[in-house]
Amino acid sequence: MQTVTKGKRKVSQRVVKKYIFVATALAYPGLLFFVFFCGTSFGSIIMSFQKIDYAGNATWNGLENFKTFIKFFFGADDRVTIGVKNALILYGMSLIMLPFNLLQAYLIFKKCWGHAVMRALIMIPSIVSSLLMGRIFMKVVDWIIPSIMINTFGATDVPNLLQDPSYAFWTCWFYGFWSGGSGAIIIYPNAMAATDKEIYEAAKIDGVCTMWQEMWYIILPMMYPTLSTILITGFAGALMNSGSLTIFYKYSAPVEAYTLGYHYFVQVANAKSQVAYPPLAAGGLLLTAVITPLTLFLRWFLDKHDPMEG
Amino acid sequence: MAMKAQIKNRTVGERISFITAWIAKILLWLFMVAHCLSFVWALSWCVTSSFKGLIDFTLNPVSLPETWKWSNYKEAFSKFSMLAPTQDGTMVRYGIAPMLLYSFLYAAGTTFVLMVLITMCAYVISRYKFFGKEFIYTLGIVLMVIPIIGAGPADMRLNRLLGRYNNLLFVILTPSGTVFSGYQFLMIYSAFKGLSSSYAEAAEIDGAGHWRIFVEIMLPMVLPTVATFFILNFIGYWNGYGTFLIYLPSYPSLSLGIFDFESRSSVEGVPATVVMACYVIVMIPTATLYLCSQKLITAKFIVGGLKG
């Protein structure tokens, strides 16, 4: 009897110790979540119904901030409309470039000649820092391109690709494509390598032998979770990131190159007071309300079409 | 020869598919080589330009320096500085040494705190059964998917309210509000989940406590994954300038310093070649770190699915 009680006490002590350990491990992350994530999100909701004066005092403002943002969105402020449009174009471009990136990854996965060196070199922009790489790119655009155009092609009028509003957005996109190759050459090949080698061998016996067949019948289905993750998070990222605009222009990008994330960055970083914050918070709330169902729909759609679950 | 043997005994359709695949492979390979070489060229151009005189650079931006001007580096070390406000608003000029110190403190401190929190969270959620575990995991996945747009103004207000604004220690100690979400968490979670329970059970029979099992048995087994993210985070924080620009105006880092120095360089008469020498100085620490850990980083980088 005594042994049973002792045993029970030991078990309960172990359970208590386990819960103390779990609670200790999760307490601080939980606190950070409540203060910084919930606090910010809740604060953003509250702020969207407030008016803040130059002294920082907040008063109830009803739906005025939402009306202001909608007015901005539908023409009164080009930066919001262009920002959303450009963010969606960037996402669209990432979808268009996806097959190309996958094919590059395939070559690395198949250990093409020089694959190890390529993998090391492609990380350069992330390692050297996007800021420095961006500034070097800027110098190339400022100095090298005009020099080549004038000296080699005899051009007389060479536009600055980053400063001319007609070229700025696509030059920034090109920079993102050029410097952002690590996804294609680092993440995808590792995901391809995670597939059991026996599957490739079995498929070979079944007649799957060209690159196109291997991609279509094995790699794409097996990599589907990785791809859908990138497509889903990329959608949210396109709307929230300011991309390379801060590197090239700090606070003064041409309006034609604006993305939504950059617009918010400039408004927050450049604000002399908090007066401008509430319409931005209201806009963020509206956009979140519109984009969240779209993102969830995208996730549902991609999950539904998972070839491994069909 | 090998190609010929592979084409033999195939239908016309298969032959076309085979040949187009080969052509595509060759074109892709050439593109990838050109892409990689463009990075090498860009960096080499930056390094060689940092040794040029301004006239040489203006007249021949592409060629090698006529004379190698080492004095650009001397000038870079003496002039690379940033004007930033102190806590009471007075403008002070910071040189390389304080910027280097702030960059290091921020990168090392934030990375350490973040990795400890992510690793602990991932370990507990992957290895222990407790009420709410599934909820936390699913919440982490949902947070990765849902875009919270426009929270910047509220975030800034909260930072000022809590005293986190312009407080380096506070920023280091509060690296993220969602440590149980994101790729890094999922990767470390998977690494812990894939470990056999037998080691922990044997240690438990021998009387080891939860902390000891975590620190001495389980953590060493996932150390390569944790170390990879430690290095990547360190590099990311070292290179980052957004936090310093928005939240830490009195703590200029090297990255932010470059931003500021370059914008002032034309006004202060600092040649573009000296600015490029500053680029080289700033990129040396992370490039060295990467060279030492390149194999580990490229082998561990993988993204999984988001099924909650």
Side-chain angles (χ1 to χ4, degrees):
Chain A
M1 191 69 182
Q2 239 181 351
T3 328
V4 174
T5 323
K6 262 188 183 174
K8 268 188 180 173
R9 203 179 295 153
K10 246 187 176 177
V11 169
S12 65
Q13 265 184 354
R14 207 183 299 153
V15 170
V16 170
K17 276 184 182 170
K18 180 189 109 175
Y19 278 109
I20 289 174
F21 178 70
V22 169
T24 315
L26 296 180
Y28 190 54
L31 179 73
L32 290 179
F33 174 72
F34 279 109
V35 174
F36 290 101
F37 184 82
C38 299
T40 303
S41 306
F42 185 68
S44 196
I45 294 170
I46 299 287
M47 190 185 270
S48 49
F49 295 97
Q50 286 180 328
K51 185 178 184 177
I52 301 176
D53 63 20
Y54 283 96
N57 302 314
T59 49
W60 178 254
N61 199 26
L63 295 173
E64 284 309 308
N65 296 322
F66 292 92
K67 286 180 193 166
T68 309
F69 184 79
I70 289 169
K71 208 166 72 186
F72 282 167
F73 192 81
F74 289 104
D77 188 346
D78 281 355
R79 292 170 302 177
V80 179
T81 328
I82 291 173
V84 173
K85 190 189 84 184
N86 283 348
L88 293 176
I89 291 175
L90 288 178
Y91 184 65
M93 286 306 293
S94 70
L95 293 184
I96 292 170
M97 299 311 291
L98 189 63
F100 180 69
N101 289 338
L102 283 171
L103 289 172
Q104 286 188 70
Y106 177 85
L107 282 197
I108 295 286
F109 164 61
K110 286 288 172 183
K111 296 195 163 71
C112 64
W113 193 80
H115 69 99
V117 180
M118 282 185 203
R119 286 179 79 136
L121 293 179
I122 211 76
M123 288 287 280
I124 284 177
S126 319
I127 303 305
V128 163
S129 119
S130 54
L131 173 69
L132 288 183
M133 215 61 199
R135 303 308 285 194
I136 293 171
F137 178 82
M138 216 171 154
K139 292 243 179 300
V140 170
V141 169
D142 287 346
W143 294 85
I144 302 278
I145 292 178
S147 164
I148 292 173
M149 293 300 284
I150 293 165
N151 298 331
T152 315
F153 298 105
T156 47
D157 184 25
V158 184
N160 187 310
L161 298 175
L162 279 167
Q163 300 305 329
D164 189 325
S166 343
Y167 301 101
F169 174 71
W170 288 106
T171 309
C172 289
W173 171 80
F174 175 78
Y175 170 74
F177 169 71
W178 176 68
S179 63
S182 57
I185 300 197
I186 305 291
I187 299 172
Y188 297 158
N190 286 355
M192 289 174 186
T195 304
D196 197 339
K197 276 187 182 149
E198 284 177 12
I199 294 176
Y200 290 101
E201 281 159 19
K204 212 169 192 178
I205 294 165
D206 288 343
V208 172
C209 52
T210 66
M211 174 170 77
W212 312 122
Q213 288 170 329
E214 251 187 357
M215 286 293 285
W216 189 253
Y217 293 115
I218 309 171
I219 292 173
L220 284 180
M222 298 305 285
M223 270 187 71
Y224 196 79
T226 302
L227 291 178
S228 63
T229 300
I230 286 167
L231 291 179
I232 294 164
T233 52
F235 187 55
L239 288 156
M240 293 189 290
N241 297 339
S242 49
S244 52
L245 292 171
T246 42
I247 297 170
F248 296 137
Y249 308 103
K250 207 171 181 183
Y251 304 136
S252 53
V255 176
E256 288 78 0
Y258 259 57
T259 60
L260 190 65
Y262 178 72
H263 177 57
Y264 272 89
F265 167 79
V266 171
Q267 293 298 315
V268 174
N270 215 11
K272 297 279 181 284
S273 72
Q274 298 177 30
V275 176
Y277 286 178
L280 290 167
L285 202 62
L286 277 178
L287 288 167
T288 304
V290 174
I291 302 296
T292 301
L294 288 176
T295 313
L296 293 175
F297 171 77
L298 181 66
R299 189 186 172 199
W300 170 82
F301 180 82
L302 290 170
D303 280 355
K304 197 167 181 270
H305 290 84
D306 188 340
M308 298 307 284
E309 298 204 347
Chain B
M1 200 66 178
M3 197 172 154
K4 243 184 187 179
Q6 283 182 357
I7 288 176
K8 220 176 164 184
N9 301 327
R10 286 182 193 279
T11 62
V12 178
E14 281 174 344
R15 283 183 188 189
I16 291 171
S17 166
F18 197 82
I19 292 166
T20 51
W22 264 99
I23 294 170
K25 275 184 195 174
I26 293 166
L27 291 176
L28 276 170
W29 186 83
L30 288 173
F31 172 82
M32 281 157 66
V33 170
H35 194 182
C36 291
L37 286 178
S38 70
F39 293 136
V40 177
W41 175 82
L43 281 190
S44 320
W45 178 73
C46 176
V47 174
T48 52
S49 299
S50 70
F51 287 102
K52 282 183 176 179
L54 187 60
I55 297 168
D56 186 14
F57 178 69
T58 313
L59 295 177
N60 309 300
V62 190
S63 64
L64 286 171
E66 273 179 6
T67 47
W68 292 74
K69 216 176 155 204
W70 290 87
S71 58
N72 282 350
Y73 279 83
K74 205 175 160 190
E75 202 176 336
F77 272 108
S78 64
K79 288 193 175 163
F80 182 24
S81 62
M82 179 177 169
L83 269 174
T86 56
Q87 297 283 353
D88 59 12
T90 324
M91 295 304 276
V92 173
R93 192 175 287 271
Y94 292 86
I96 284 189
M99 287 195 275
L100 191 73
L101 178 72
Y102 291 141
S103 288
F104 179 77
L105 285 178
Y106 173 70
T110 313
T111 304
F112 179 75
V113 175
L114 185 69
M115 289 319 296
V116 167
L117 295 179
I118 292 181
T119 310
M120 294 263 324
C121 255
Y123 174 67
V124 163
I125 295 170
S126 65
R127 306 292 305 189
Y128 285 79
K129 279 184 185 162
F130 58 92
F131 177 74
K133 165 187 159 149
E134 290 302 322
F135 173 75
I136 298 173
Y137 183 77
T138 311
L139 182 67
I141 302 282
V142 170
L143 291 177
M144 280 179 80
V145 175
I146 294 177
I148 307 293
I149 302 167
D155 191 35
M156 177 60 110
R157 208 172 174 211
L158 185 73
N159 272 277
R160 286 181 187 271
L161 196 75
L162 295 175
R164 188 176 183 261
Y165 179 76
N166 218 1
N167 186 334
L168 182 63
L169 184 64
F170 202 163
V171 169
I172 288 172
L173 291 174
T174 52
S176 166
T178 51
V179 290
F180 53 88
S181 180
Y183 297 131
Q184 299 190 22
F185 169 79
L186 287 179
M187 285 286 298
I188 298 171
Y189 172 91
S190 311
F192 276 124
K193 192 113 184 145
L195 296 179
S196 164
S197 305
S198 50
Y199 300 104
E201 280 164 7
E204 206 175 340
I205 291 165
D206 288 345
H210 295 281
W211 282 104
R212 203 161 164 206
I213 293 171
F214 169 60
V215 175
E216 291 183 16
I217 296 163
M218 304 306 264
L219 185 61
M221 287 197 273
V222 298
L223 210 54
T225 308
V226 175
T228 304
F229 285 120
F230 191 96
I231 295 163
L232 283 174
N233 279 324
F234 182 88
I235 292 172
Y237 285 124
W238 179 277
N239 290 333
Y241 57 91
T243 306
F244 288 95
L245 193 63
I246 299 177
Y247 298 113
L248 296 168
S250 299
Y251 298 91
S253 67
L254 280 174
S255 294
L256 192 61
I258 280 284
F259 229 156
D260 181 76
F261 182 59
E262 191 166 7
S263 57
R264 283 186 295 111
S265 60
S266 52
V267 182
E268 294 182 6
V270 179
T273 48
V274 174
V275 174
M276 285 162 109
C278 292
Y279 288 177
V280 177
I281 293 168
V282 173
M283 69 176 79
I284 285 172
T286 48
T288 313
L289 187 61
Y290 176 63
L291 283 175
C292 299
S293 55
Q294 179 262 323
K295 267 196 175 170
L296 187 70
I297 291 171
T298 49
K300 286 283 167 191
F301 226 107
I302 186 170
V303 178
L306 274 184
K307 300 229 163 156

